[in-house]
Amino acid sequence: MAMRPMEPMGSAATGAPEIFVGGSHGAVRRAVVIGNGCAGAENQCLGLVRALGLADRLMLYRAIRPTGGINKWLHFLPISLHKLVDQVLKQMFSSDRFAALFQGKWLGQYTVCNDQLFGLSSVLEADTKRIVTMVNDTFEKEGLALVVACGRDTISYASLIRCLTPDNVFVIQIQHPRSRLDKFDLVVTPRHDFYALTARGRWEFPQLLWRWISLREPPGPNVVLTVGALHQADSSALRIAASDWHDELANSPKPLVVVNIGGPTGNCNYDVGLAKQLISSLHDVLKTCGSVRISFSRRTPHKVSDLILKEFSSHPKVYIWDGEGPNPHLGHLAWADAFIITADSISMLSEACSTGKPVYVVGTEHCRRKFSDFHNTLHERGAVRPFTGLEDCRHRCLETKEI
C-alpha cells in the first residue's frame, strides 16, 4: 500500500479568501497570534499565519497563567478567574513566608519555547484592551488585523476582541472552543472533534451524558474541518531545514528512520508496556535499516524514556536526542526516509504525514473515541500503517516482510 501525503487545507488553485487579496482596509496584511505557552497549540497558529504569507507581519501574545506554589492546582479555573484568585492570595498572604507557598519565590520567565517562531525575540502577555487599542489606533494605516488563537486559555481573549472591535479584526479560533461558534469569524478544527456526532460516537456516549457534551451541533458555515493538526512544516520550511541540518544528517546511513515518542493522554493511555513493545520491534528493524534517530516529547514519562535510553544509548546505529542544543525535529522531517510515531501525538503524525514519506504508528490499540477516529481516517487515506517489527528496510524503506 503506497503512502500518500495528507491533503492540505487549501491551495492556490482554490483561490484565497477575499480578505487576503486586494483592497485597502479590507485586505489583511498583519496578524495577531494569541498562544497559551504550549508549543503544539502555538505551532498551529504560526503554521496558519505562515501559510497566509503573514509570517513577517505578526505580533505574538501569550495567555499567561500565574505560576508557583498553589497555582499549579488552579489550572481547572478559567484563566481570568485564576488570575483574580492569584491576586487575592497575594494580597492576603503578602509576607515572605506565605509568598513562598502561594506564589513561589521565583516566577518562571516566559520565553519563546518553540525554536521555529520566525525569529521573534519577545512574547507579550495577552491583554484584551491593549490588543484592541493597538488594532484600532493602527487601523487607518495597517488595515484589518487577522487574530489567530489556539488553546482553551485563549478563547476568552479572541472572542472578546471580536466583540469589542468587530469591524477591524477577522478572528480565527483553532480547535473547537466548546462554546458558541458564532463568537468567531472562523473556527478551524479537526474532523474528529465532532466524533460524538458520528454513529459510533452516539453509541459510545450514553443518552444520560449528552447534556454535558458540548459538541451537539454539526459544523456550521464558519467552520473549516481538517484531518489533523495545522503546522509549520511546509515545503519551504523543510527546504530550509534540509540545508540547516545537511552537515549532520546528509551522511546518515540509509535508510534513516526517525522515531518520535510522545506520552500518554486521556484518549490514548499507555505505560511502559508500549515502550517494551517498541523496543522489541525496533531491534527487529535495526537488522536491516541504516540508522535510527529517536526523539522524546515533553510529555514522555521518564520511565518510558529511561527504558529506551537504557536499551539503545550504546547501539551503533541509534542516535537519541537528549534535549540539549537545537531541536532536530524539522531536520528529521526533511531528511528521514520513514517515521515511527506513537499514536498519542496528533501534531507529530500530522507533520510526518504531510511529507508523503512512509509513516508507521505504534500504540493505536490504546486509543479511544476521537483519537481512534483520527487514526481510522489516516489509515483509510493510506497515510499510515501500523508498526509491527516485521518491516524490512533492504528493498524498500520499512516494507513489510512476507510471513
Side-chain angles (χ1 to χ4, degrees):
M1 178 178 68
M3 295 290 186
R4 298 190 294 108
M6 286 173 60
E7 298 170 5
M9 188 174 66
S11 65
T14 61
E18 291 182 2
I19 61 167
F20 298 108
V21 293
S24 54
H25 293 332
V28 171
R29 300 189 300 272
R30 57 176 173 159
V32 173
V33 170
I34 305 176
N36 62 356
C38 173
E42 292 182 0
N43 191 43
Q44 296 199 60
C45 294
L46 296 169
L48 178 58
V49 169
R50 179 185 177 89
L52 294 173
L54 299 173
D56 58 346
R57 298 292 307 277
L58 71 86
M59 297 182 67
L60 177 60
Y61 293 84
R62 185 167 289 161
I64 299 175
R65 284 183 177 269
T67 61
I70 199 174
N71 282 300
K72 66 181 179 180
W73 303 107
L74 300 179
H75 280 228
F76 69 94
L77 296 174
I79 187 170
S80 57
L81 181 57
H82 185 176
K83 288 185 174 183
L84 178 61
V85 171
D86 177 67
Q87 290 295 325
V88 171
L89 289 175
K90 284 197 293 187
Q91 292 177 7
M92 290 175 59
F93 306 99
S94 57
S95 70
D96 292 340
R97 178 181 175 184
F98 286 104
L101 173 62
F102 287 97
Q103 182 61 27
K105 289 183 177 180
W106 308 105
L107 291 181
Q109 296 299 310
Y110 296 97
T111 57
V112 176
C113 61
N114 188 326
D115 292 335
Q116 311 298 328
L117 292 189
F118 309 116
L120 290 171
S121 59
S122 62
V123 180
L124 304 173
E125 182 171 1
D127 183 300
T128 301
K129 291 183 179 179
R130 185 177 299 174
I131 294 173
V132 169
T133 299
M134 180 274 295
V135 168
N136 291 339
D137 289 349
T138 58
F139 179 74
E140 287 300 321
K141 180 180 179 181
E142 300 291 342
L144 199 69
L146 176 69
V147 178
V148 184
C150 183
R152 179 171 68 96
D153 286 346
T154 70
I155 294 170
S156 57
Y157 292 94
S159 59
L160 186 55
I161 289 170
R162 183 174 182 269
C163 179
L164 294 175
T165 180
D167 296 330
N168 295 350
V169 295
F170 188 89
V171 177
I172 300 178
Q173 185 71 35
I174 299 176
Q175 296 181 343
H176 201 292
R178 267 66 180 176
S179 62
R180 286 173 45 194
L181 300 183
D182 59 3
K183 293 181 179 180
F184 313 92
D185 293 293
L186 201 66
V187 173
V188 180
T189 188
R191 294 178 185 275
H192 58 256
D193 268 356
F194 289 90
Y195 173 68
L197 300 181
T198 66
R200 184 171 181 83
R202 289 179 180 274
W203 178 80
E204 286 189 6
F205 291 98
Q207 190 70 30
L208 181 64
L209 301 179
W210 265 87
R211 61 177 297 183
W212 287 283
I213 296 176
S214 56
L215 304 185
R216 292 192 294 269
E217 300 294 333
N222 69 325
V223 177
V224 175
L225 298 179
T226 65
V227 175
L230 305 184
H231 55 81
Q232 301 183 67
D234 57 18
S235 57
S236 175
L238 294 185
R239 281 195 298 270
I240 294 172
S243 175
D244 291 343
W245 290 90
H246 178 275
D247 293 345
E248 183 169 342
L249 299 179
N251 295 321
S252 299
K254 299 292 186 178
L256 169 60
V257 178
V258 166
V259 181
N260 290 330
I261 302 173
T265 67
N267 283 306
C268 192
N269 194 15
Y270 57 85
D271 54 20
V272 292
L274 184 66
K276 293 176 181 177
Q277 173 189 334
L278 177 60
I279 287 171
S280 175
S281 298
L282 282 177
H283 273 302
D284 291 334
V285 168
L286 278 166
K287 298 172 185 176
T288 59
C289 74
S291 56
V292 170
R293 293 177 66 95
I294 300 175
S295 292
F296 303 110
S297 80
R298 295 178 182 179
R299 293 186 294 104
T300 308
H302 286 298
K303 56 185 178 181
V304 171
S305 57
D306 289 346
L307 197 61
I308 300 289
L309 285 165
K310 180 180 178 181
E311 190 70 26
F312 293 116
S313 59
S314 60
H315 197 291
K317 286 188 176 182
V318 178
Y319 168 84
I320 302 177
W321 184 53
D322 60 5
E324 298 296 326
N327 190 331
H329 181 60
L330 280 178
H332 286 172
L333 289 173
W335 283 102
D337 295 299
F339 302 93
I340 300 170
I341 301 175
T342 53
D344 58 275
S345 182
I346 290 177
S347 294
M348 289 193 294
L349 282 165
S350 300
E351 290 172 332
C353 287
S354 70
T355 67
K357 300 173 184 179
V359 179
Y360 292 79
V361 187
V362 58
T364 53
E365 66 274 14
H366 298 282
C367 294
R368 62 175 189 156
R369 295 178 179 170
K370 67 177 186 178
F371 271 47
S372 181
D373 188 56
F374 167 68
H375 284 286
N376 288 338
T377 300
L378 292 187
H379 184 74
E380 290 169 359
R381 289 174 172 241
V384 299
R385 299 178 189 174
F387 179 54
T388 64
L390 301 175
E391 293 77 13
D392 192 331
C393 298
R394 290 173 295 189
H395 308 299
R396 181 181 177 187
C397 189
L398 292 189
E399 183 175 20
T400 304
K401 298 176 184 175
E402 304 232 347
I403 7 184

